[in-house]
Amino acid sequence: MRDDAITEAELYDLRHRDDERDDVEFYVDRALEAGGPVLEIACGTGRIHLPLLRAGVDAHGVDVSAERLDRLRTKARSEGLDPSVREADMTALDPDHAYDLAICPYNSLQFARTLPALRATLSGVHDALAPGGRFVFDVFVPDFDVICETYDEWEETTVERAGRTYTVRSRATVTGPVEQLFRVEREALTPEGDVVLADAFELAMLPKRLVQAVVEDSPFASVSVAGGFDGDPIAEGDRTQVWTLEKEA
């Protein structure tokens, strides 16, 4: 690997370290309210998971990326924390605990790109919860103005690493109009213009009506959705769907 190469996990941290989202406090509060073990699905490099551990939550995590999990472990141990995370796909959790809360933050459920995958995820989370346990997740509201104006166009930002400024560019492209799938491409370039990271992944758009239909057909006993992390009912103009599914007590 080149000395100036950036791993995907490192790029994620660099891009999101200054995010001002309300989700961290929201999920920590939900975890503290649960009072028992918590499972984070798609825990990644620890943007949510490390604050859970710092708050004293008995948090466990799964992610499909071994690279991201290694980075999470390194960061946690540098703070004297002992994470319990493992590599697993959200569609095949195979849990060894009964959790009072499961969470899937920051659009990660959109990696369940097919209805069978989404149903398998919900069924697996339901099985992983203790009676009365809750599953809380957020996904974005598809905004067709944004799609029309920005998709297919490269967007650029910069990140600082080791005293050097790297350009990061990304673009989203609708790849399955009928199935409402989209592909995200990313590149990181050195100040000299050399590409040191290039990757791509595909996600599903999950409009409220689709999520509602799937969760109401799931084993969960009750379902509610808010239009953000403040708990207000979802309404026109909201950018985020925050869903809470509860298992029968």
Side-chain angles (χ1 to χ4, degrees):
M1 179 182 292
R2 301 173 45 145
D3 291 341
D4 54 4
I6 299 178
T7 66
E8 186 278 333
E10 183 181 10
L11 178 61
Y12 181 90
D13 279 353
L14 290 170
R15 291 194 68 186
H16 295 287
R17 64 185 175 187
D18 297 323
D19 278 1
E20 294 183 1
R21 286 174 54 89
D22 297 330
D23 59 343
V24 177
E25 182 178 359
F26 171 84
Y27 282 112
V28 170
D29 286 347
R30 298 292 84 73
L32 293 174
E33 290 170 2
V38 174
L39 174 65
E40 183 183 1
I41 298 163
C43 59
T45 65
R47 191 180 65 86
I48 301 288
H49 206 76
L50 291 177
L52 292 176
L53 296 178
R54 293 179 193 125
V57 174
D58 180 13
H60 302 232
V62 296
D63 199 280
V64 294
S65 170
E67 179 185 292
R68 288 195 180 198
L69 291 174
D70 284 345
R71 189 165 178 86
L72 185 157
R73 293 186 186 102
T74 298
K75 292 192 296 183
R77 289 165 184 161
S78 72
E79 298 183 32
L81 301 171
D82 185 20
S84 177
V85 295
R86 62 185 177 87
E87 191 175 345
D89 190 291
M90 67 174 69
T91 64
L93 292 175
D94 191 24
D96 55 4
H97 284 69
Y99 295 96
D100 291 315
L101 175 72
I103 63 173
C104 188
Y106 206 6
N107 308 316
S108 293
L109 196 66
Q110 293 177 230
F111 280 101
R113 293 181 291 272
T114 66
L115 285 177
L118 187 54
R119 291 191 180 106
T121 300
L122 294 177
S123 178
V125 173
H126 183 271
D127 291 346
L129 291 172
R134 293 181 175 183
F135 178 33
V136 182
F137 63 89
D138 67 272
V139 294
F140 70 74
V141 177
D143 185 327
F144 291 100
D145 288 337
V146 172
I147 292 170
C148 291
E149 292 172 6
T150 67
Y151 276 36
D152 299 319
E153 300 291 335
W154 286 101
E155 296 185 350
E156 290 192 359
T157 186
T158 59
V159 297
E160 298 294 325
R161 177 181 182 269
R164 306 183 79 204
T165 300
Y166 289 73
T167 298
V168 179
R169 62 182 204 152
S170 63
R171 69 176 172 183
T173 306
V174 176
T175 53
V178 174
E179 301 297 333
Q180 295 197 353
L181 301 175
F182 66 102
R183 175 183 173 88
V184 178
E185 300 170 82
R186 297 180 301 185
E187 294 181 350
L189 297 87
T190 66
E192 295 76 30
D194 297 325
V195 176
V196 289
L197 173 71
D199 71 353
F201 52 89
E202 194 172 49
L203 299 167
M205 295 183 190
L206 294 179
K208 175 181 175 291
R209 183 171 61 174
L210 173 59
V211 179
Q212 189 86 40
V214 175
V215 299
E216 288 185 350
D217 192 42
S218 75
F220 286 92
S222 68
V223 174
S224 64
V225 58
F229 299 106
D230 56 8
D232 290 341
I234 193 166
E236 291 294 327
D238 286 331
R239 304 289 296 273
T240 305
Q241 310 169 56
V242 181
W243 291 84
T244 300
L245 284 55
E246 187 166 346
K247 185 172 181 174
E248 188 173 5

